[in-house]
């Protein structure tokens, strides 16, 4: 668990897209960020107060989160001076980069000397159990997709926010690096050892109040040949009561697989539900979440209306239209 | 790759079952074993010549394989003297135990001093790629099961033996520790990092002659909530042209999951084939392999005849009745 609140390190981000992680924290957990730290030439701006390390410390920040990715995911030498100073001033560091903080001898030495923690959320820090499949109390909703990167994390976050706005019990459960940095905890599922994947998701979504919902971030797709095993571990380890189908309609082929067409929403529903019922016979599909970022307003609404009619399920772009319809369907389960 | 031939170390095996790995090598790759090494009190016997280390060395043995498991999978102190002497006499060591050879400081020191290799087949020694899903040349057959431990490895080994007996091109592809020790190579799939599972199977079953078949050892089951993700990585990474369904009819519930009933062979066929067709639209189910070890002769034959009639697919216990029918169906693909 990463201590909050954060100071968001934007470094020398060459463009706003490079600061995707910081943007995610800004969008979804603004209370977790007291300010931003920008270096000369930084082209990203979270519209948070610019702070020095000392100012952030005074404002209560506990952890400096690397909210920016360089090309190649490396820890730039230009950043090192700030990171070392942050450790010395009492901040922990958190990063989702491929290049691990702990693999940098200077950062490691300073962290040890100062007693601070380096959080590399790309690798698991927990010894997960093997899944036992036992029925857990509380309710769980899992986002499953036609492809990778179609909006499963945003769907779960939108639904979690809507649940909380209604005063209902809900927890977003992160299963990827960005989600972990947004919330401060979770399972970096793509880095878990095969035998423990489903068990890590059981661990992430334990017994809870009967009226509490876990909103589980999905990963990959049952139809993506590179990552489908990760997805099935979520379907079985997550023991979902409800599935939300996620889709991005303008994609020409599966992400990273030029020869592979996307499955239909019906394919994902049939196969996903059949496999989910192995772990929870009462599982149902409650709705469809469409990522319409590449569509105009009218086209977006028309597409969702068409899916709704065709499939007989509520269908929205929850980030654009709100997650109300999906949450209505969820709490009716 | 582990150098063959082997000397099989049976240690102080308390009963024949404890020497399951040695028995697998003896049954499936007898040419890989020049002899056996037994300590006082050993209750297992592979019916191979008992040899001292020096005799085995003279007979050409390159690797001492730990063919026995203690309770708890540990490396017994009683074994250490032999293992150290073996390293000193020029043998490599190979083990599938949970307790790794490399984690024993004395073995590690002697191996380094003598320039010998410690093969811990429980952990991967290769940096596998992420699967790219590209079509590979050659043919692949994958065993998929209703449950774990229903005979998927034996099925693939039986079919591989039958193919070779007919002069056809075939390779058994090991995906578990026992299979790796039997053949000297393979992927310990249950220990691979989630993101690289499917890629490890692509790596294991590369381009080959158009008339060559890989017989891929299956793992887990699409219907086993603890391990299903591993199975799906095989279905997609293996890109199978043919599936063989494996079943053990007397099992009361899924292995390790008392609340879970086994799926039907029809369930496994439908879901397995649908998912396999994502990676290879031409994939077909060629037959059913039943593990009838807990049945009498008549019952075994009657059960297979019933399945054959019900499903319209060849059905045998390949270890008991021979794999001829399955291979007939395979080469007709």
């Amino acid at each position: 668990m990463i201590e909050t609140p954060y100071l968001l390190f934007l470094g020398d981000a060459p463009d706003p897209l490079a600061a995707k992680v910081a943007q995610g924290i800004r969008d979804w957990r603004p209370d977790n960020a007291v300010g931003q730290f920008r270096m000369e030439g930084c082209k990203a701006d979270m519209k948070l107060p610019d702070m020095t390390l000392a100012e952030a410390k005074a404002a209560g920040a506990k952890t400096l989160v690397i909210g920016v990715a360089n090309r190649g995911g490396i820890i730039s030498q230009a950043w090192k001076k700030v990171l070392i100073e942050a450790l010395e001033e009492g901040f922990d560091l958190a990063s989702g980069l491929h290049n691990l903080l702990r693999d940098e001898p200077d950062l490691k030495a300073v962290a040890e000397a100062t007693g601070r923690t380096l959080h590399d959320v790309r690798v698991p820090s927990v010894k997960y159990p093997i899944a036992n499949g036992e029925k857990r109390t509380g309710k769980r909703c899992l986002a499953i997709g036609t492809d990778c990167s179609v909006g499963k994390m945003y769907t779960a976050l939108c639904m979690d926010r809507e649940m909380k706005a209604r005063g209902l019990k809900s927890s977003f459960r992160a299963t990827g690096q960005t989600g972990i940095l947004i919330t401060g905890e979770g399972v970096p599922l793509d880095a878990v050892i095969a035998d423990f994947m489903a068990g890590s998701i059981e661990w992430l979504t334990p017994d809870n109040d009967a009226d509490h919902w876990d909103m589980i971030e999905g990963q990959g797709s049952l139809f993506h040949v590179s990552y489908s095993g990760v997805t099935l571990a979520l379907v079985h380890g997550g023991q979902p009561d409800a599935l939300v189908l996620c889709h991005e309609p303008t994609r020409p082929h599966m992400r990273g697989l030029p020869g592979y067409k996307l499955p239909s929403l019906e394919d994902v529903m049939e196969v996903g539900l059949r496999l989910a019922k192995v772990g929870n016979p009462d599982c149902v599909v409650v709705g469809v979440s469409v990522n319409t970022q590449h569509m105009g307003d009218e086209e977006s609404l028309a597409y969702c209306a068409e899916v709704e009619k065709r499939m007989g399920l509520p269908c929205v772009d929850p980030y654009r239209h709100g997650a109300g319809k999906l949450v209505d369907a969820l709490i009716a389960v």
Side-chain angles (χ1 to χ4, degrees), chain A:
Chain A
M1 178 122 192
I2 304 167
E3 277 200 90
T4 55
Y6 305 148
L7 174 62
L8 301 183
F9 178 75
L10 306 185
D12 46 4
D15 55 60
L17 259 184
K20 200 178 74 167
V21 167
Q23 192 66 54
I25 296 168
R26 178 71 176 99
D27 287 346
W28 295 105
R29 292 292 183 273
D31 293 349
N32 279 358
V34 300
Q36 61 187 10
F37 187 105
R38 299 194 290 170
M39 291 165 59
E40 204 169 303
C42 180
K43 299 283 196 309
D45 182 4
M46 297 302 122
K47 315 281 184 204
L48 287 168
D50 282 295
M51 288 186 176
T52 63
L53 294 172
E55 287 165 351
K57 193 77 198 158
K62 302 268 193 274
T63 304
L64 183 75
V65 172
I66 298 184
V68 56
N70 274 333
R71 274 189 202 88
I74 62 160
I75 297 166
S76 142
Q77 279 305 321
W79 299 355
K80 277 284 182 69
K81 193 169 161 283
V82 182
L83 302 185
I84 286 170
E85 203 183 317
L87 289 169
E88 285 168 349
E89 298 209 6
F91 289 88
D92 291 337
L93 301 183
S95 159
L97 299 175
H98 275 287
N99 180 190
L100 303 184
L101 297 169
R102 71 183 70 165
D103 289 344
E104 300 294 305
D106 45 359
L107 295 180
K108 200 176 168 203
V110 178
E112 276 169 13
T114 55
R116 306 316 313 165
T117 304
L118 303 178
H119 295 282
D120 285 303
V121 304
R122 192 155 287 275
V123 289
S125 56
V126 172
K127 201 168 155 22
Y128 302 114
I130 285 179
N132 63 29
E134 285 171 20
K135 182 75 185 159
R136 307 194 288 291
T137 54
K139 301 271 188 191
R140 284 153 201 90
C141 174
L142 173 67
I144 62 171
T146 51
D147 194 2
C148 300
S149 309
V150 293
K152 294 183 289 289
M153 184 181 83
Y154 266 58
T155 299
L157 282 163
C158 286
M159 291 178 70
D160 175 58
R161 176 176 284 177
E162 174 71 15
M163 290 285 288
K164 287 182 170 128
R166 296 189 190 185
L168 300 170
K169 295 179 193 167
S170 170
S171 304
F172 169 73
R173 300 299 191 183
T175 62
Q177 284 77 14
T178 303
I180 294 171
L181 287 172
I182 289 175
T183 59
E185 57 189 337
V187 168
L189 184 58
D190 62 7
V192 172
I193 300 278
D195 246 5
F196 304 97
M197 293 186 301
S200 75
I201 302 305
E202 290 189 349
W203 174 91
L204 181 68
T205 60
D207 281 333
N208 216 317
D209 295 346
D211 58 345
H212 175 278
W213 280 91
D214 280 326
M215 302 295 176
I216 309 174
E217 179 189 357
Q219 295 293 336
S221 164
L222 292 169
F223 290 81
H224 194 296
V225 296
S226 310
Y227 308 114
S228 54
V230 179
T231 312
L232 188 48
L234 276 160
V235 170
H236 282 160
Q239 213 173 76
D241 301 276
L243 298 174
V244 175
L245 311 177
C246 300
H247 185 50
E248 202 281 78
T250 69
R251 197 164 287 189
H253 59 73
M254 296 293 277
R255 190 175 163 92
L257 303 174
Y260 288 79
K261 272 195 219 158
L262 268 72
S264 68
L265 282 162
E266 285 82 350
D267 286 334
V268 176
M269 179 163 78
E270 277 176 43
V271 174
L273 198 54
R274 182 148 185 190
L275 287 164
K277 281 173 180 285
V278 173
N280 184 352
D282 298 327
C283 184
V284 292
V285 173
V286 291
V288 182
S289 169
V290 181
N291 175 348
T292 64
Q293 65 176 319
H294 300 301
M295 293 176 156
D297 285 342
E298 265 182 57
E299 194 188 359
S300 157
L301 288 168
Y303 186 88
C304 290
E306 187 272 319
V307 170
E308 204 157 275
K309 192 172 160 201
R310 194 179 85 217
M311 301 190 68
L313 288 168
C315 175
V316 291
D317 179 334
Y319 194 64
R320 191 168 189 166
H321 312 136
K325 271 192 184 184
L326 297 176
V327 167
D328 290 345
L330 190 70
I331 58 180
V333 168

